[in-house]
Amino acid sequence: MSKAIRDNVQRVRKTIEAACRRVGRDPAEVSLLLATKTVSVEKIREALAAGEVLLGENRVQELQQKAVALADAPVEWHFIGHLQRNKVRDAVRHASCIHSVDRLRLGNRLHNRLTRENKRMDILVQVNTSYEESKFGVPPEGAVELVTQLARLETLRIRGLMTIGKFGAAEHETREGFRRLRRIRDDIRARNIPGVEMDELSMGMSGDLALAVEEGATIVRVGTAIFGERAYPDSYYWDEGGSR
Ligand SMILES: *Cc1c(COP(=O)(O)O)cnc(C)c1O
């Protein structure tokens, strides 16, 4: 077994701790989610051997295959990619939380499925804090309304918000996006909407996780910094060409 992945996990954990220290946060408030798209089951097992348990996939088929292959391991799966309505059934089967709910139609579909299975599920609402065309997510101005609508679907436990930082942006701009997400979270919290918890902020990836932790992230989603560069461009995962 190579040491590289274990070392990378430890380095990322140290980055999180250092960022927490700078702003007086407790590192225990921050969960590390490993973004495992394109990563082999063997490599994922190396990260698990380093003590990690929280994994995230972007595509339902890949989630399903890996969840089956790792059924013997004590892992928790989150779904972090754009979710198409016809994939909801398998997503619900394997994931305990969906980070990417960004429209009511998807919420309704999830609710129907969960109702049929007599289940409840954690969700995060994805917000497009950078206003980039290529990104999924509800625009910041629409977040309160979407959360209010989703809150009526009693199978969905709305735990917080998720965003993807602006690509290739200057630090202050990235930070501003994360702050925007936190302000929306605070605004929604202050409204005390029944059924809405708003404890989680899923933000920060390999390139901007320290900033995200400084700005209040409770879940950082990290792939490259642990598993190395991916073979596919991320546009393959983020922009499915109008498949909403
Ligand atoms: C791939 C991915 C990540 C991790 O990105 P890295 O830059 O490799 O750390 C985080 N969030 C989402 C939604 C992703 O698709």
Side-chain angles (χ1 to χ4, degrees):
M1 194 187 282
S2 87
K3 237 167 100 295
I5 288 178
R6 172 181 294 268
D7 289 349
N8 292 344
V9 167
Q10 281 166 359
R11 189 173 325 112
V12 167
R13 287 274 175 200
K14 287 217 172 79
T15 303
I16 294 170
E17 281 164 27
C20 282
R21 219 173 300 126
R22 285 196 290 278
V23 294
R25 295 186 66 200
D26 177 356
E29 291 170 15
V30 184
S31 298
L32 172 58
L33 177 149
L34 308 186
T36 54
K37 56 179 184 266
T38 77
V39 177
S40 70
V41 168
E42 289 67 35
K43 284 192 171 173
I44 296 172
R45 284 195 189 276
E46 292 184 33
L48 301 182
E52 299 304 325
V53 292
L54 182 57
L55 307 176
E57 277 291 336
N58 291 66
R59 295 208 152 197
V60 173
Q61 199 184 346
E62 213 171 323
L63 166 66
Q64 168 142 16
Q65 286 164 354
K66 289 177 187 173
V68 169
L70 290 165
D72 60 305
V75 296
E76 180 178 353
W77 288 100
H78 287 185
F79 188 80
I80 62 174
H82 177 64
L83 182 57
Q84 290 166 277
R85 283 181 297 158
N86 61 0
K87 303 278 172 59
V88 155
R89 182 183 175 160
D90 287 327
V92 163
R93 178 175 311 155
H94 296 290
S96 64
C97 179
I98 310 268
H99 286 220
S100 47
V101 178
D102 62 357
R103 57 215 191 279
L104 185 59
R105 284 198 307 168
L106 174 59
N108 280 327
R109 183 65 69 94
L110 281 164
H111 178 64
N112 290 344
R113 187 71 226 163
L114 291 161
T115 301
R116 207 171 306 168
E117 297 188 12
N118 202 13
K119 264 168 84 168
R120 300 188 76 210
M121 176 171 215
D122 290 345
I123 64 159
L124 306 179
V125 171
Q126 182 174 354
V127 183
N128 184 357
T129 52
S130 61
Y131 295 95
E132 285 167 283
E133 290 268 344
S134 62
K135 293 249 181 76
F136 294 110
V138 63
E141 298 72 26
V144 171
E145 190 187 347
L146 178 59
V147 168
T148 306
Q149 290 169 331
L150 292 169
R152 298 191 189 112
L153 307 172
E154 66 275 10
T155 58
L156 303 181
R157 278 191 300 254
I158 307 175
R159 303 298 307 275
L161 305 175
M162 178 272 225
T163 199
I164 297 174
K166 186 164 184 179
F167 298 136
E171 187 177 307
H172 72 272
E173 213 179 345
T174 305
R175 193 184 285 281
E176 190 44 49
F178 294 152
R179 279 192 186 151
R180 192 170 284 138
L181 195 71
R182 192 181 64 209
R183 281 196 298 263
I184 296 167
R185 193 264 318 264
D186 293 345
D187 176 18
I188 293 172
R189 250 191 197 161
R191 291 167 192 260
N192 287 317
I193 304 167
V196 177
E197 288 174 38
M198 283 293 132
D199 294 324
E200 306 291 343
L201 285 180
S202 169
M203 59 191 196
M205 313 187 349
S206 293
D208 53 22
L209 73 102
L211 287 181
V213 170
E214 287 175 13
E215 295 302 332
T218 63
I219 307 175
V220 291
R221 309 175 309 264
V222 182
T224 313
I226 288 171
F227 299 111
E229 294 290 334
R230 287 179 289 274
Y232 299 96
D234 281 341
S235 56
Y236 174 76
Y237 287 92
W238 279 328
D239 186 1
E240 295 187 85
S243 56
R244 280 161 184 265

CSV table of all heavy atoms in Angstrom, one decimal, residues 111-149:
chain,number,residue,atom,x,y,z
A,111,HIS,N,-39.1,13.7,-2.6
A,111,HIS,CA,-40.2,13.6,-1.6
A,111,HIS,C,-41.1,12.4,-2.0
A,111,HIS,O,-41.5,11.6,-1.1
A,111,HIS,CB,-41.0,14.9,-1.4
A,111,HIS,CG,-42.2,14.8,-0.5
A,111,HIS,ND1,-42.0,14.5,0.8
A,111,HIS,CD2,-43.5,14.9,-0.7
A,111,HIS,CE1,-43.2,14.5,1.4
A,111,HIS,NE2,-44.1,14.7,0.5
A,112,ASN,N,-41.5,12.3,-3.2
A,112,ASN,CA,-42.3,11.2,-3.7
A,112,ASN,C,-41.6,9.8,-3.4
A,112,ASN,O,-42.3,8.9,-2.9
A,112,ASN,CB,-42.6,11.3,-5.2
A,112,ASN,CG,-43.6,12.5,-5.4
A,112,ASN,OD1,-44.2,13.0,-4.5
A,112,ASN,ND2,-43.6,12.9,-6.7
A,113,ARG,N,-40.4,9.8,-3.8
A,113,ARG,CA,-39.6,8.5,-3.6
A,113,ARG,C,-39.5,8.2,-2.1
A,113,ARG,O,-39.7,7.0,-1.7
A,113,ARG,CB,-38.2,8.7,-4.2
A,113,ARG,CG,-37.4,7.5,-4.2
A,113,ARG,CD,-37.9,6.5,-5.2
A,113,ARG,NE,-38.0,5.2,-4.7
A,113,ARG,CZ,-38.7,4.2,-5.2
A,113,ARG,NH1,-39.4,4.4,-6.3
A,113,ARG,NH2,-38.7,3.0,-4.7
A,114,LEU,N,-39.2,9.1,-1.3
A,114,LEU,CA,-39.0,8.9,0.2
A,114,LEU,C,-40.3,8.5,0.8
A,114,LEU,O,-40.4,7.7,1.7
A,114,LEU,CB,-38.4,10.1,0.8
A,114,LEU,CG,-36.9,10.4,0.4
A,114,LEU,CD1,-36.5,11.9,0.7
A,114,LEU,CD2,-36.0,9.5,1.1
A,115,THR,N,-41.4,9.2,0.4
A,115,THR,CA,-42.7,8.9,0.9
A,115,THR,C,-43.0,7.4,0.6
A,115,THR,O,-43.5,6.6,1.5
A,115,THR,CB,-43.8,9.8,0.3
A,115,THR,OG1,-43.4,11.1,0.6
A,115,THR,CG2,-45.2,9.5,0.8
A,116,ARG,N,-42.8,7.0,-0.6
A,116,ARG,CA,-43.0,5.6,-0.9
A,116,ARG,C,-42.2,4.6,-0.1
A,116,ARG,O,-42.7,3.5,0.2
A,116,ARG,CB,-42.7,5.4,-2.4
A,116,ARG,CG,-43.5,4.3,-3.1
A,116,ARG,CD,-43.3,4.3,-4.6
A,116,ARG,NE,-43.6,5.5,-5.2
A,116,ARG,CZ,-43.2,5.8,-6.5
A,116,ARG,NH1,-42.6,4.9,-7.2
A,116,ARG,NH2,-43.5,7.0,-7.0
A,117,GLU,N,-41.0,5.0,0.2
A,117,GLU,CA,-40.1,4.1,1.0
A,117,GLU,C,-40.3,4.4,2.5
A,117,GLU,O,-39.6,3.7,3.3
A,117,GLU,CB,-38.7,4.3,0.6
A,117,GLU,CG,-38.5,3.9,-0.8
A,117,GLU,CD,-37.0,3.9,-1.2
A,117,GLU,OE1,-36.2,4.0,-0.3
A,117,GLU,OE2,-36.7,3.9,-2.4
A,118,ASN,N,-41.2,5.3,2.9
A,118,ASN,CA,-41.4,5.6,4.3
A,118,ASN,C,-40.0,6.0,5.0
A,118,ASN,O,-39.7,5.5,6.1
A,118,ASN,CB,-42.0,4.4,5.0
A,118,ASN,CG,-42.7,4.8,6.3
A,118,ASN,OD1,-42.9,6.0,6.5
A,118,ASN,ND2,-43.0,3.8,7.1
A,119,LYS,N,-39.3,6.9,4.3
A,119,LYS,CA,-38.0,7.3,4.8
A,119,LYS,C,-37.9,8.8,4.8
A,119,LYS,O,-38.7,9.5,4.2
A,119,LYS,CB,-36.9,6.8,3.7
A,119,LYS,CG,-36.2,5.5,4.1
A,119,LYS,CD,-35.4,5.1,2.9
A,119,LYS,CE,-34.0,5.7,2.8
A,119,LYS,NZ,-33.2,4.9,1.8
A,120,ARG,N,-36.9,9.3,5.6
A,120,ARG,CA,-36.6,10.7,5.6
A,120,ARG,C,-35.1,10.8,5.2
A,120,ARG,O,-34.4,9.9,5.3
A,120,ARG,CB,-36.8,11.4,6.9
A,120,ARG,CG,-38.3,11.3,7.4
A,120,ARG,CD,-38.5,12.2,8.6
A,120,ARG,NE,-38.6,13.6,8.3
A,120,ARG,CZ,-38.2,14.6,9.1
A,120,ARG,NH1,-37.8,14.3,10.3
A,120,ARG,NH2,-38.3,15.8,8.7
A,121,MET,N,-34.7,12.0,4.7
A,121,MET,CA,-33.4,12.1,4.2
A,121,MET,C,-32.9,13.5,4.5
A,121,MET,O,-33.6,14.5,4.4
A,121,MET,CB,-33.4,11.8,2.8
A,121,MET,CG,-32.1,12.0,2.0
A,121,MET,SD,-32.2,11.4,0.4
A,121,MET,CE,-30.5,10.8,0.3
A,122,ASP,N,-31.5,13.7,4.7
A,122,ASP,CA,-30.9,15.0,4.9
A,122,ASP,C,-30.6,15.5,3.5
A,122,ASP,O,-30.2,14.8,2.6
A,122,ASP,CB,-29.5,14.8,5.6
A,122,ASP,CG,-29.7,14.5,7.0
A,122,ASP,OD1,-30.8,14.6,7.6
A,122,ASP,OD2,-28.7,14.1,7.7
A,123,ILE,N,-30.9,16.8,3.3
A,123,ILE,CA,-30.5,17.5,2.1
A,123,ILE,C,-29.8,18.8,2.4
A,123,ILE,O,-30.0,19.4,3.5
A,123,ILE,CB,-31.7,17.7,1.1
A,123,ILE,CG1,-32.7,18.7,1.8
A,123,ILE,CG2,-32.3,16.5,0.7
A,123,ILE,CD1,-33.6,19.4,0.8
A,124,LEU,N,-29.0,19.3,1.4
A,124,LEU,CA,-28.5,20.6,1.5
A,124,LEU,C,-29.0,21.3,0.2
A,124,LEU,O,-29.2,20.7,-0.8
A,124,LEU,CB,-27.0,20.7,1.5
A,124,LEU,CG,-26.3,19.8,2.6
A,124,LEU,CD1,-24.7,19.9,2.4
A,124,LEU,CD2,-26.7,20.3,3.9
A,125,VAL,N,-29.2,22.6,0.3
A,125,VAL,CA,-29.6,23.4,-0.9
A,125,VAL,C,-28.4,24.0,-1.5
A,125,VAL,O,-27.6,24.7,-0.9
A,125,VAL,CB,-30.7,24.4,-0.5
A,125,VAL,CG1,-30.9,25.4,-1.6
A,125,VAL,CG2,-32.0,23.7,0.0
A,126,GLN,N,-28.2,23.7,-2.8
A,126,GLN,CA,-27.0,24.2,-3.5
A,126,GLN,C,-27.3,25.6,-4.0
A,126,GLN,O,-28.3,25.9,-4.7
A,126,GLN,CB,-26.6,23.3,-4.7
A,126,GLN,CG,-25.4,23.8,-5.4
A,126,GLN,CD,-24.8,22.9,-6.5
A,126,GLN,OE1,-25.3,21.8,-6.6
A,126,GLN,NE2,-23.8,23.3,-7.2
A,127,VAL,N,-26.4,26.6,-3.7
A,127,VAL,CA,-26.5,28.0,-4.1
A,127,VAL,C,-25.4,28.3,-5.0
A,127,VAL,O,-24.2,28.0,-4.7
A,127,VAL,CB,-26.5,28.9,-2.8
A,127,VAL,CG1,-26.7,30.3,-3.2
A,127,VAL,CG2,-27.6,28.5,-1.8
A,128,ASN,N,-25.7,29.0,-6.1
A,128,ASN,CA,-24.7,29.4,-7.0
A,128,ASN,C,-24.2,30.8,-6.6
A,128,ASN,O,-24.6,31.9,-7.1
A,128,ASN,CB,-25.3,29.5,-8.4
A,128,ASN,CG,-24.3,29.8,-9.5
A,128,ASN,OD1,-23.1,30.1,-9.2
A,128,ASN,ND2,-24.7,29.8,-10.8
A,129,THR,N,-23.3,30.8,-5.6
A,129,THR,CA,-22.8,32.1,-5.0
A,129,THR,C,-21.9,32.9,-5.9
A,129,THR,O,-21.7,34.0,-5.7
A,129,THR,CB,-22.0,31.8,-3.7
A,129,THR,OG1,-21.0,30.8,-4.0
A,129,THR,CG2,-22.9,31.3,-2.6
A,130,SER,N,-21.4,32.2,-7.0
A,130,SER,CA,-20.5,33.0,-7.9
A,130,SER,C,-21.2,33.5,-9.2
A,130,SER,O,-20.6,34.1,-10.0
A,130,SER,CB,-19.3,32.1,-8.3
A,130,SER,OG,-19.8,30.9,-9.0
A,131,TYR,N,-22.5,33.1,-9.3
A,131,TYR,CA,-23.3,33.6,-10.4
A,131,TYR,C,-22.7,33.1,-11.8
A,131,TYR,O,-22.9,33.8,-12.8
A,131,TYR,CB,-23.4,35.1,-10.5
A,131,TYR,CG,-24.2,35.7,-9.3
A,131,TYR,CD1,-23.6,36.1,-8.2
A,131,TYR,CD2,-25.6,35.7,-9.4
A,131,TYR,CE1,-24.3,36.7,-7.1
A,131,TYR,CE2,-26.4,36.2,-8.3
A,131,TYR,CZ,-25.7,36.7,-7.2
A,131,TYR,OH,-26.4,37.2,-6.1
A,132,GLU,N,-21.9,32.0,-11.8
A,132,GLU,CA,-21.4,31.5,-13.0
A,132,GLU,C,-22.4,30.7,-13.8
A,132,GLU,O,-23.1,29.9,-13.2
A,132,GLU,CB,-20.1,30.6,-12.8
A,132,GLU,CG,-18.9,31.4,-12.3
A,132,GLU,CD,-17.8,30.5,-11.8
A,132,GLU,OE1,-18.0,30.1,-10.6
A,132,GLU,OE2,-16.9,30.2,-12.5
A,133,GLU,N,-22.5,31.0,-15.1
A,133,GLU,CA,-23.5,30.3,-15.9
A,133,GLU,C,-23.4,28.8,-15.9
A,133,GLU,O,-24.3,28.1,-16.0
A,133,GLU,CB,-23.3,30.8,-17.4
A,133,GLU,CG,-23.6,32.2,-17.7
A,133,GLU,CD,-25.1,32.3,-18.1
A,133,GLU,OE1,-25.6,31.3,-18.5
A,133,GLU,OE2,-25.6,33.5,-18.1
A,134,SER,N,-22.1,28.4,-15.8
A,134,SER,CA,-21.9,26.9,-15.9
A,134,SER,C,-22.2,26.2,-14.7
A,134,SER,O,-22.2,24.9,-14.6
A,134,SER,CB,-20.4,26.7,-16.2
A,134,SER,OG,-19.6,27.2,-15.1
A,135,LYS,N,-22.5,26.9,-13.6
A,135,LYS,CA,-22.8,26.2,-12.3
A,135,LYS,C,-24.2,25.9,-12.1
A,135,LYS,O,-25.1,26.8,-12.4
A,135,LYS,CB,-22.2,27.1,-11.2
A,135,LYS,CG,-20.7,27.2,-11.2
A,135,LYS,CD,-20.1,26.5,-10.1
A,135,LYS,CE,-18.6,26.7,-10.1
A,135,LYS,NZ,-18.2,28.0,-9.6
A,136,PHE,N,-24.5,24.8,-11.5
A,136,PHE,CA,-25.9,24.6,-11.0
A,136,PHE,C,-26.0,25.3,-9.7
A,136,PHE,O,-25.1,25.9,-9.1
A,136,PHE,CB,-26.0,23.1,-10.8
A,136,PHE,CG,-26.0,22.3,-12.1
A,136,PHE,CD1,-25.0,21.5,-12.4
A,136,PHE,CD2,-27.0,22.5,-13.0
A,136,PHE,CE1,-24.9,20.8,-13.6
A,136,PHE,CE2,-27.0,21.8,-14.2
A,136,PHE,CZ,-25.9,20.9,-14.5
A,137,GLY,N,-27.2,25.3,-9.1
A,137,GLY,CA,-27.5,25.9,-7.9
A,137,GLY,C,-28.5,27.1,-8.0
A,137,GLY,O,-28.6,27.7,-9.1
A,138,VAL,N,-29.3,27.3,-7.0
A,138,VAL,CA,-30.3,28.4,-7.0
A,138,VAL,C,-29.5,29.7,-6.9
A,138,VAL,O,-28.5,29.7,-6.1
A,138,VAL,CB,-31.3,28.1,-5.9
A,138,VAL,CG1,-30.6,28.2,-4.5
A,138,VAL,CG2,-32.4,29.1,-6.0
A,139,PRO,N,-29.9,30.8,-7.6
A,139,PRO,CA,-29.2,32.0,-7.3
A,139,PRO,C,-29.4,32.5,-5.9
A,139,PRO,O,-30.5,32.2,-5.3
A,139,PRO,CB,-29.9,33.0,-8.3
A,139,PRO,CG,-30.9,32.2,-9.1
A,139,PRO,CD,-31.0,30.9,-8.5
A,140,PRO,N,-28.5,33.2,-5.3
A,140,PRO,CA,-28.6,33.6,-3.9
A,140,PRO,C,-30.0,34.3,-3.6
A,140,PRO,O,-30.5,34.0,-2.6
A,140,PRO,CB,-27.5,34.6,-3.7
A,140,PRO,CG,-26.4,34.1,-4.7
A,140,PRO,CD,-27.1,33.6,-5.9
A,141,GLU,N,-30.5,35.1,-4.5
A,141,GLU,CA,-31.7,35.8,-4.3
A,141,GLU,C,-32.9,34.8,-4.2
A,141,GLU,O,-34.0,35.2,-3.7
A,141,GLU,CB,-32.1,36.8,-5.4
A,141,GLU,CG,-31.0,37.9,-5.6
A,141,GLU,CD,-29.7,37.4,-6.1
A,141,GLU,OE1,-29.7,36.4,-6.9
A,141,GLU,OE2,-28.7,38.0,-5.9
A,142,GLY,N,-32.7,33.6,-4.7
A,142,GLY,CA,-33.9,32.6,-4.7
A,142,GLY,C,-33.8,31.6,-3.6
A,142,GLY,O,-34.7,30.8,-3.5
A,143,ALA,N,-32.7,31.7,-2.8
A,143,ALA,CA,-32.5,30.6,-1.8
A,143,ALA,C,-33.6,30.6,-0.7
A,143,ALA,O,-34.0,29.5,-0.4
A,143,ALA,CB,-31.1,30.8,-1.2
A,144,VAL,N,-33.9,31.7,-0.2
A,144,VAL,CA,-34.9,31.7,0.9
A,144,VAL,C,-36.2,31.1,0.4
A,144,VAL,O,-36.9,30.2,1.1
A,144,VAL,CB,-35.2,33.1,1.4
A,144,VAL,CG1,-36.4,33.1,2.4
A,144,VAL,CG2,-33.9,33.7,2.1
A,145,GLU,N,-36.7,31.5,-0.8
A,145,GLU,CA,-37.9,31.0,-1.3
A,145,GLU,C,-37.9,29.5,-1.5
A,145,GLU,O,-38.8,28.7,-1.2
A,145,GLU,CB,-38.3,31.7,-2.6
A,145,GLU,CG,-39.7,31.4,-3.0
A,145,GLU,CD,-40.1,31.9,-4.4
A,145,GLU,OE1,-39.3,32.8,-4.9
A,145,GLU,OE2,-41.1,31.5,-4.9
A,146,LEU,N,-36.7,29.0,-2.1
A,146,LEU,CA,-36.6,27.6,-2.4
A,146,LEU,C,-36.6,26.8,-1.1
A,146,LEU,O,-37.3,25.8,-0.9
A,146,LEU,CB,-35.4,27.3,-3.2
A,146,LEU,CG,-35.1,25.8,-3.5
A,146,LEU,CD1,-36.3,25.2,-4.2
A,146,LEU,CD2,-33.8,25.6,-4.2
A,147,VAL,N,-35.9,27.3,-0.1
A,147,VAL,CA,-35.9,26.6,1.2
A,147,VAL,C,-37.3,26.5,1.8
A,147,VAL,O,-37.7,25.5,2.4
A,147,VAL,CB,-34.9,27.2,2.2
A,147,VAL,CG1,-35.0,26.7,3.6
A,147,VAL,CG2,-33.4,27.0,1.7
A,148,THR,N,-38.0,27.6,1.7
A,148,THR,CA,-39.3,27.7,2.3
A,148,THR,C,-40.2,26.7,1.6
A,148,THR,O,-41.0,26.0,2.2
A,148,THR,CB,-39.9,29.1,2.1
A,148,THR,OG1,-39.0,30.1,2.7
A,148,THR,CG2,-41.3,29.3,2.7
A,149,GLN,N,-40.1,26.5,0.3
A,149,GLN,CA,-40.9,25.6,-0.5
A,149,GLN,C,-40.5,24.1,-0.1
A,149,GLN,O,-41.4,23.3,0.1
A,149,GLN,CB,-40.8,25.8,-2.0
A,149,GLN,CG,-41.4,27.1,-2.4
A,149,GLN,CD,-41.0,27.5,-3.9
A,149,GLN,OE1,-39.9,27.1,-4.3
A,149,GLN,NE2,-41.9,28.1,-4.6
